Amino acid sequence: MDKGHEDWLKRAEADSRSKQERFMQRIAERLKRPRLLEKPVHPFRGAPDAWREFEWSLEERMARFTDHFLSAGGHVARLEDMEAVKGFISGKAEEMGARRILRQNDPLLEELQLEKALAEAEVAVWNTGGGEAWTARAAEADFGIVAADHAVAYTGSLIVKSAAERGRSVSLLPTVLFAVIPVERLKTRLGEVLDTFDEAGRAGLPAGIHFISGPSRSADIENDLTIGVHGPGVVFALLVG
């Protein structure tokens, strides 16, 4: 860089800083407050202790989660055990005429034995066949079934981690999504879940972390709401236990 260009940059920077200083001074004068020239001290970091200690009972968590998930357009069913989950999904498959069903390759979902319960439907398990175009399979599926890693009562959210055997497309592409949530995975606050990711560290993070609060919702510039454009249009949260 030649000397003339370097001098011009210094003058431009000084001029910019001078304008910024005058601008901030005018704001302080109009607010009738002194200028803060040093950043204020922040003795606390993160959520206050009172919030970190806040926790609902299990019954309260289930009730609050249900209220919030329903308000976002989702559906909630409280079921006693995995046998009841199997009966619920089978009933919905018959009611909706579902013929293509895709589930995660998860031990919890293995208990459902949907292949036997839904003999007339084609039940596939994510990433269990060589050469299969699994994303295309998910896009064609009537039902997608996932096991939620966590759920949060305060926000009415599901948290689903993705991995080789738990493809994110299972929760994103089918027409209807079923999320199975053992009640011991239902937390009060979102921070309880985020702490687990912090503790795992960068190396321990999954391929993807998905926060789901009801069906896909999209609105255009005029706020015309459309359901199911960028994801499932119907979402069932199944609280088990």
Side-chain angles (χ1 to χ4, degrees):
M1 181 184 299
D2 61 51
K3 180 64 174 173
H5 196 183
E6 186 176 346
D7 290 343
W8 179 85
L9 284 176
K10 289 180 179 179
R11 290 195 302 273
E13 181 181 4
D15 184 53
S16 176
R17 289 185 179 278
S18 176
K19 289 179 180 178
Q20 182 185 62
E21 179 67 21
R22 293 195 301 271
F23 176 76
M24 297 302 293
Q25 187 60 40
R26 282 199 302 271
I27 292 177
E29 290 170 356
R30 292 185 180 184
L31 292 175
K32 298 181 180 180
R33 297 176 184 174
R35 283 282 307 280
L36 290 178
L37 302 177
E38 295 183 3
K39 64 180 181 181
V41 176
H42 293 283
F44 303 108
R45 183 177 179 84
D49 291 341
W51 177 245
R52 287 183 172 275
E53 294 167 3
F54 174 67
E55 186 173 356
W56 284 320
S57 66
L58 176 58
E59 195 61 36
E60 181 76 358
R61 293 199 299 272
M62 289 193 289
R64 294 298 186 100
F65 174 85
T66 298
D67 289 344
H68 295 153
F69 205 76
L70 291 175
S71 68
H75 303 273
V76 179
R78 293 173 61 173
L79 304 168
E80 185 174 351
D81 51 29
M82 292 301 285
E83 189 66 26
V85 173
K86 177 169 68 175
F88 184 89
I89 294 176
S90 299
K92 290 299 178 182
E94 182 176 352
E95 176 187 330
M96 298 180 174
R99 290 293 175 264
R100 295 186 180 89
I101 296 171
L102 179 64
R103 70 167 175 84
Q104 292 175 331
N105 186 9
D106 187 283
L108 179 67
L109 302 180
E110 186 70 35
E111 297 179 33
L112 296 175
Q113 295 293 304
L114 290 175
E115 294 83 351
K116 297 178 182 178
L118 298 171
E120 296 182 2
E122 179 185 348
V123 180
V125 181
W126 179 267
N127 213 13
T128 55
E132 185 81 39
W134 286 103
T135 301
R137 189 75 172 263
E140 296 171 351
D142 300 309
F143 285 2
I145 305 172
V146 301
D149 296 277
H150 307 279
V152 180
Y154 200 87
T155 59
S157 303
L158 308 171
I159 292 87
V160 180
K161 297 185 288 188
S162 61
E165 69 281 2
R166 309 177 83 240
R168 60 179 176 235
S169 297
V170 182
S171 65
L172 296 177
L173 298 182
T175 304
V176 180
L177 173 64
F178 294 84
V180 179
I181 314 160
V183 292
E184 62 270 17
R185 300 183 186 182
L186 179 58
K187 309 298 183 184
T188 299
R189 299 172 289 104
L190 185 60
E192 295 176 76
V193 176
L194 299 181
D195 282 345
T196 65
F197 300 137
D198 284 341
E199 291 163 5
R202 180 181 289 272
L205 290 176
I209 303 171
H210 310 281
F211 297 83
I212 302 170
S213 299
S216 164
R217 305 163 71 86
S218 302
D220 61 16
I221 195 169
E222 295 181 353
N223 260 354
D224 290 328
L225 183 65
T226 305
I227 302 296
V229 175
H230 302 296
V234 180
V235 180
F236 290 93
L238 309 182
L239 292 169
V240 187

mmCIF file of all heavy atoms in Angstrom, residues 4-20:
data_model
loop_
_atom_site.group_PDB
_atom_site.id
_atom_site.type_symbol
_atom_site.label_atom_id
_atom_site.label_comp_id
_atom_site.label_asym_id
_atom_site.label_seq_id
_atom_site.Cartn_x
_atom_site.Cartn_y
_atom_site.Cartn_z
ATOM 1 N N GLY A 4 0.318 7.520 0.253
ATOM 2 C CA GLY A 4 -0.855 8.371 0.081
ATOM 3 C C GLY A 4 -2.151 7.639 0.431
ATOM 4 O O GLY A 4 -3.041 8.198 1.084
ATOM 5 N N HIS A 5 -2.231 6.379 -0.004
ATOM 6 C CA HIS A 5 -3.426 5.586 0.282
ATOM 7 C C HIS A 5 -3.540 5.310 1.777
ATOM 8 O O HIS A 5 -4.621 5.365 2.360
ATOM 9 C CB HIS A 5 -3.368 4.274 -0.497
ATOM 10 C CG HIS A 5 -4.694 3.577 -0.576
ATOM 11 N ND1 HIS A 5 -4.865 2.358 -1.170
ATOM 12 C CD2 HIS A 5 -5.916 3.942 -0.113
ATOM 13 C CE1 HIS A 5 -6.124 1.993 -1.074
ATOM 14 N NE2 HIS A 5 -6.802 2.945 -0.435
ATOM 15 N N GLU A 6 -2.425 5.029 2.410
ATOM 16 C CA GLU A 6 -2.413 4.754 3.852
ATOM 17 C C GLU A 6 -2.859 5.986 4.642
ATOM 18 O O GLU A 6 -3.652 5.877 5.584
ATOM 19 C CB GLU A 6 -1.005 4.338 4.272
ATOM 20 C CG GLU A 6 -0.919 3.900 5.720
ATOM 21 C CD GLU A 6 0.474 3.405 6.072
ATOM 22 O OE1 GLU A 6 1.271 3.163 5.147
ATOM 23 O OE2 GLU A 6 0.755 3.276 7.274
ATOM 24 N N ASP A 7 -2.396 7.169 4.253
ATOM 25 C CA ASP A 7 -2.800 8.397 4.936
ATOM 26 C C ASP A 7 -4.299 8.651 4.759
ATOM 27 O O ASP A 7 -4.985 9.098 5.677
ATOM 28 C CB ASP A 7 -1.997 9.593 4.390
ATOM 29 C CG ASP A 7 -0.539 9.525 4.801
ATOM 30 O OD1 ASP A 7 -0.233 8.764 5.746
ATOM 31 O OD2 ASP A 7 0.277 10.216 4.168
ATOM 32 N N TRP A 8 -4.809 8.368 3.559
ATOM 33 C CA TRP A 8 -6.245 8.567 3.282
ATOM 34 C C TRP A 8 -7.101 7.664 4.175
ATOM 35 O O TRP A 8 -8.121 8.095 4.726
ATOM 36 C CB TRP A 8 -6.523 8.271 1.813
ATOM 37 C CG TRP A 8 -7.975 8.422 1.466
ATOM 38 C CD1 TRP A 8 -8.623 9.564 1.129
ATOM 39 C CD2 TRP A 8 -8.955 7.375 1.463
ATOM 40 N NE1 TRP A 8 -9.950 9.302 0.911
ATOM 41 C CE2 TRP A 8 -10.193 7.959 1.115
ATOM 42 C CE3 TRP A 8 -8.905 6.010 1.714
ATOM 43 C CZ2 TRP A 8 -11.364 7.220 1.013
ATOM 44 C CZ3 TRP A 8 -10.075 5.281 1.624
ATOM 45 C CH2 TRP A 8 -11.293 5.876 1.269
ATOM 46 N N LEU A 9 -6.673 6.403 4.361
ATOM 47 C CA LEU A 9 -7.409 5.487 5.213
ATOM 48 C C LEU A 9 -7.435 5.961 6.663
ATOM 49 O O LEU A 9 -8.455 5.874 7.353
ATOM 50 C CB LEU A 9 -6.793 4.086 5.143
ATOM 51 C CG LEU A 9 -7.093 3.267 3.875
ATOM 52 C CD1 LEU A 9 -6.333 1.953 3.904
ATOM 53 C CD2 LEU A 9 -8.594 2.992 3.758
ATOM 54 N N LYS A 10 -6.297 6.498 7.134
ATOM 55 C CA LYS A 10 -6.234 7.002 8.508
ATOM 56 C C LYS A 10 -7.174 8.192 8.700
ATOM 57 O O LYS A 10 -7.858 8.309 9.717
ATOM 58 C CB LYS A 10 -4.808 7.387 8.860
ATOM 59 C CG LYS A 10 -3.873 6.184 9.037
ATOM 60 C CD LYS A 10 -2.464 6.634 9.390
ATOM 61 C CE LYS A 10 -1.537 5.436 9.588
ATOM 62 N NZ LYS A 10 -0.154 5.844 9.912
ATOM 63 N N ARG A 11 -7.193 9.082 7.701
ATOM 64 C CA ARG A 11 -8.089 10.243 7.809
ATOM 65 C C ARG A 11 -9.554 9.800 7.775
ATOM 66 O O ARG A 11 -10.397 10.324 8.515
ATOM 67 C CB ARG A 11 -7.812 11.228 6.667
ATOM 68 C CG ARG A 11 -6.476 11.960 6.772
ATOM 69 C CD ARG A 11 -6.444 13.155 5.822
ATOM 70 N NE ARG A 11 -6.660 12.770 4.438
ATOM 71 C CZ ARG A 11 -5.683 12.382 3.603
ATOM 72 N NH1 ARG A 11 -4.426 12.341 4.037
ATOM 73 N NH2 ARG A 11 -5.960 12.065 2.355
ATOM 74 N N ALA A 12 -9.868 8.824 6.906
ATOM 75 C CA ALA A 12 -11.245 8.338 6.800
ATOM 76 C C ALA A 12 -11.697 7.691 8.107
ATOM 77 O O ALA A 12 -12.832 7.885 8.571
ATOM 78 C CB ALA A 12 -11.362 7.340 5.651
ATOM 79 N N GLU A 13 -10.785 6.940 8.731
ATOM 80 C CA GLU A 13 -11.123 6.293 10.002
ATOM 81 C C GLU A 13 -11.343 7.336 11.098
ATOM 82 O O GLU A 13 -12.294 7.240 11.879
ATOM 83 C CB GLU A 13 -10.012 5.328 10.415
ATOM 84 C CG GLU A 13 -10.337 4.607 11.722
ATOM 85 C CD GLU A 13 -9.227 3.654 12.146
ATOM 86 O OE1 GLU A 13 -8.181 3.613 11.472
ATOM 87 O OE2 GLU A 13 -9.412 2.984 13.168
ATOM 88 N N ALA A 14 -10.467 8.339 11.150
ATOM 89 C CA ALA A 14 -10.604 9.393 12.163
ATOM 90 C C ALA A 14 -11.908 10.157 11.964
ATOM 91 O O ALA A 14 -12.601 10.488 12.933
ATOM 92 C CB ALA A 14 -9.398 10.332 12.087
ATOM 93 N N ASP A 15 -12.256 10.429 10.717
ATOM 94 C CA ASP A 15 -13.507 11.141 10.429
ATOM 95 C C ASP A 15 -14.715 10.309 10.850
ATOM 96 O O ASP A 15 -15.676 10.829 11.417
ATOM 97 C CB ASP A 15 -13.564 11.457 8.931
ATOM 98 C CG ASP A 15 -14.802 12.275 8.580
ATOM 99 O OD1 ASP A 15 -15.005 13.320 9.217
ATOM 100 O OD2 ASP A 15 -15.548 11.848 7.678
ATOM 101 N N SER A 16 -14.651 8.999 10.582
ATOM 102 C CA SER A 16 -15.762 8.119 10.950
ATOM 103 C C SER A 16 -15.926 8.057 12.456
ATOM 104 O O SER A 16 -17.050 8.113 12.976
ATOM 105 C CB SER A 16 -15.499 6.712 10.385
ATOM 106 O OG SER A 16 -16.509 5.814 10.794
ATOM 107 N N ARG A 17 -14.823 7.953 13.176
ATOM 108 C CA ARG A 17 -14.898 7.892 14.637
ATOM 109 C C ARG A 17 -15.427 9.204 15.222
ATOM 110 O O ARG A 17 -16.154 9.202 16.208
ATOM 111 C CB ARG A 17 -13.531 7.561 15.214
ATOM 112 C CG ARG A 17 -13.087 6.120 14.947
ATOM 113 C CD ARG A 17 -11.780 5.789 15.645
ATOM 114 N NE ARG A 17 -11.391 4.429 15.389
ATOM 115 C CZ ARG A 17 -11.860 3.363 16.056
ATOM 116 N NH1 ARG A 17 -12.759 3.542 17.021
ATOM 117 N NH2 ARG A 17 -11.441 2.146 15.764
ATOM 118 N N SER A 18 -15.055 10.323 14.598
ATOM 119 C CA SER A 18 -15.533 11.623 15.063
ATOM 120 C C SER A 18 -17.045 11.739 14.884
ATOM 121 O O SER A 18 -17.756 12.214 15.772
ATOM 122 C CB SER A 18 -14.819 12.740 14.302
ATOM 123 O OG SER A 18 -15.328 14.005 14.673
ATOM 124 N N LYS A 19 -17.546 11.287 13.738
ATOM 125 C CA LYS A 19 -18.994 11.308 13.493
ATOM 126 C C LYS A 19 -19.728 10.401 14.480
ATOM 127 O O LYS A 19 -20.797 10.748 15.003
ATOM 128 C CB LYS A 19 -19.291 10.873 12.062
ATOM 129 C CG LYS A 19 -18.878 11.884 11.002
ATOM 130 C CD LYS A 19 -19.186 11.349 9.622
ATOM 131 C CE LYS A 19 -18.778 12.363 8.543
ATOM 132 N NZ LYS A 19 -19.037 11.835 7.166
ATOM 133 N N GLN A 20 -19.128 9.238 14.746
ATOM 134 C CA GLN A 20 -19.741 8.312 15.696
ATOM 135 C C GLN A 20 -19.803 8.935 17.089
ATOM 136 O O GLN A 20 -20.817 8.840 17.780
ATOM 137 C CB GLN A 20 -18.928 7.006 15.745
ATOM 138 C CG GLN A 20 -19.510 5.957 16.667
ATOM 139 C CD GLN A 20 -18.602 4.745 16.755
ATOM 140 O OE1 GLN A 20 -17.452 4.849 17.196
ATOM 141 N NE2 GLN A 20 -19.095 3.595 16.307
#
